[in-house]
Amino acid sequence: MATSGKVIRCRAAVAWAVGKPLSVEEVEVAPPKAGEVRIKIVATGICRTDDHAVYGAFPNVDFPVILGHEGAGIVESVGEGVTSVKPGDRVIPLCVPKCGECIFCLNPEANYCLKSHYVEPQNLMPDKTSRFTCKGKQIHHFLWISTFAEYTVTPECAVTKIDSAAPLDKVCLLGCGFSTGYGAAINTAKVKPGSTCAVFGLGGVGLSVVMGCKAAGASRIIAIDVNKDKFAKAKELGATDCINPQDFKKPIQEVVTEMTGHGVDYSFEVIGRVDTMTAALASCNMNTGVFVMVGVAPSDAVVSVDPKLLLTGRTWKGSLLGGSKARDSIPKLVSSYLEKKFNSDLLITHTLPIDKVNEGFELLRAGKSIRTVLLF
């Protein structure tokens, strides 16, 4: 391509400092080095994790930074040694990479990677330099993928090729939100047909959990949120009951337990609050109940739990990006999407140009959107 090997000037939403609105700027994006891929991002969703990062509540983020981790695009050029993708391929960047060499990547039951940000920061490329500059300043990467830029550079291990027929403005959600929620039900909890489920938090990820529980054949799905405006969408996607904790004088776990007799088979916390995590744990039955933690708590959060809740057999599980290896699972999910096995489009409530990125964040914070997709 004409741009191969050259610096590309393009638009990106830059977070200059903690707590400040993003600023759409012209940035310079350097060519990919060996083992790297430069991608033209077509569309990207706004995820709550991006909002956590804006406010400094997400670990290992350095400012100034280009956020975004739920994108889809087209490979513009590749560095030396890259074999899994080529220019022109449609791809989804991965917020959890797959290096293929670490103890977790080599374990078929694991979906983590020791290159992930919880082990070492992904604020710079693996060679500890940035591919972004703006106004003469180095700009940091986010989770190695920075999808709030019209062009981004990722390591090869953080990108996966998808079906060329996929509409990028729709399947971008599969890069994080949908895969995380749907997979938490299917892969992490392994929801069984006829079972009962409770989902705490009805944002984009929580509603994806609802979709996963329904796809797995759950007979009852109790959707829980303080925002009643989300109940209609939850029922459309498969929830059988919708309850607002503010409508009750007793703790919500007691309400769920009374509704189901002994608690649900599976509960999910998709908010990132320690109080709702303990409530969700107590909402599943005391012996075989499985609680799956999906929400990301602030980096300084500490959970206090009565050990008797676990002594009788309950399970507390964490789920990262839906519990399966993203580089392998996301292309399969895209194929399932094209086969109409699920309709993740229903999660998209707003579509905005990148210039209105701050408006998208305001919709999220006000609880007025499920997913906003930004277009370049």
Side-chain angles (χ1 to χ4, degrees):
M1 298 179 78
T3 50
S4 181
K6 298 176 183 174
V7 171
I8 291 178
R9 286 178 174 78
C10 66
R11 288 173 300 157
V14 178
W16 288 103
V18 173
K20 302 291 188 203
L22 305 190
S23 177
V24 177
E25 310 272 8
E26 182 180 82
V27 300
E28 293 85 42
V29 185
K33 295 185 181 179
E36 298 176 357
V37 180
R38 188 160 62 181
I39 304 163
K40 178 178 172 54
I41 297 292
V42 173
T44 180
I46 299 177
C47 176
R48 179 70 72 176
T49 299
D50 297 309
D51 195 39
H52 288 330
V54 168
Y55 286 102
F58 193 75
N60 296 336
V61 178
D62 287 341
F63 289 77
V65 59
I66 296 172
L67 299 171
H69 64 285
E70 192 179 83
I74 300 164
V75 175
E76 175 269 339
S77 60
V78 299
E80 182 184 345
V82 172
T83 57
S84 63
V85 295
K86 64 184 186 303
D89 284 347
R90 293 192 167 211
V91 294
I92 287 179
L94 306 173
C95 52
V96 176
K98 184 185 174 187
C99 74
E101 298 169 355
C102 73
I103 186 172
F104 294 118
C105 284
L106 294 173
N107 180 349
E109 294 183 4
N111 81 315
Y112 194 63
C113 173
L114 286 175
K115 300 288 188 187
S116 293
H117 75 281
Y118 282 111
V119 175
E120 58 182 67
Q122 294 171 306
N123 304 324
L124 298 170
M125 297 299 280
D127 70 352
K128 306 304 179 192
T129 63
S130 173
R131 302 293 165 268
F132 298 121
T133 53
C134 180
K135 298 177 179 175
K137 293 181 178 164
Q138 172 184 278
I139 308 296
H140 291 93
H141 295 251
F142 180 59
L143 302 176
W144 275 350
I145 57 177
S146 294
T147 59
F148 288 175
E150 192 172 5
Y151 284 84
T152 192
V153 178
T154 75
E156 184 180 13
C157 65
V159 65
T160 192
K161 181 181 175 181
I162 60 171
D163 193 307
S164 61
L168 299 179
D169 60 332
K170 302 292 193 286
V171 299
C172 59
L173 267 58
L174 277 55
C176 178
F178 179 78
S179 299
T180 295
Y182 191 82
I186 301 288
N187 305 316
T188 307
K190 296 182 169 58
V191 171
K192 293 187 176 112
S195 61
T196 56
C197 303
V199 182
F200 287 71
L202 302 178
V205 181
L207 290 171
S208 299
V209 174
V210 170
M211 293 172 78
C213 292
K214 182 183 180 185
S219 63
R220 192 171 187 188
I221 303 168
I222 302 168
I224 303 161
D225 204 295
V226 295
N227 183 351
K228 290 183 177 180
D229 293 344
K230 295 185 175 179
F231 289 172
K233 181 70 77 172
K235 290 204 165 173
E236 180 186 2
L237 296 175
T240 55
D241 306 79
C242 292
I243 57 175
N244 181 346
Q246 295 172 339
D247 291 344
F248 302 92
K249 291 193 171 132
K250 60 181 74 171
I252 193 65
Q253 56 265 40
E254 292 182 20
V255 176
V256 173
T257 301
E258 287 174 9
M259 287 172 71
T260 54
H262 294 285
V264 292
D265 298 306
Y266 307 94
S267 63
F268 303 83
E269 200 275 358
V270 206
I271 304 165
R273 292 172 50 124
V274 295
D275 57 339
T276 42
M277 287 176 190
T278 52
L281 175 68
S283 295
C284 64
N285 81 67
M286 64 192 297
N287 182 219
T288 58
V290 176
F291 161 55
V292 179
M293 177 178 67
V294 187
V296 179
S299 51
D300 60 350
V302 177
V303 180
S304 179
V305 175
D306 178 351
K308 289 194 292 296
L309 285 171
L310 295 166
L311 183 66
T312 52
R314 283 185 182 91
T315 302
W316 178 320
K317 300 185 82 168
S319 183
L320 186 70
L321 201 60
S324 61
K325 296 182 190 289
R327 203 168 185 206
D328 307 319
S329 65
I330 286 178
K332 291 174 185 171
L333 274 177
V334 170
S335 297
S336 295
Y337 167 88
L338 291 170
E339 291 162 10
K340 294 185 166 52
K341 290 185 177 174
F342 55 79
N343 186 5
S344 50
D345 295 1
L346 294 170
L347 300 171
I348 301 172
T349 52
H350 298 78
T351 303
L352 297 172
I354 187 64
D355 296 336
K356 294 191 176 178
V357 59
N358 290 310
E359 187 178 315
F361 274 99
E362 289 306 320
L363 288 165
L364 175 70
R365 291 164 191 153
K368 292 180 179 174
S369 66
I370 301 300
R371 256 312 182 264
T372 294
V373 172
L374 302 171
L375 301 178
F376 286 98

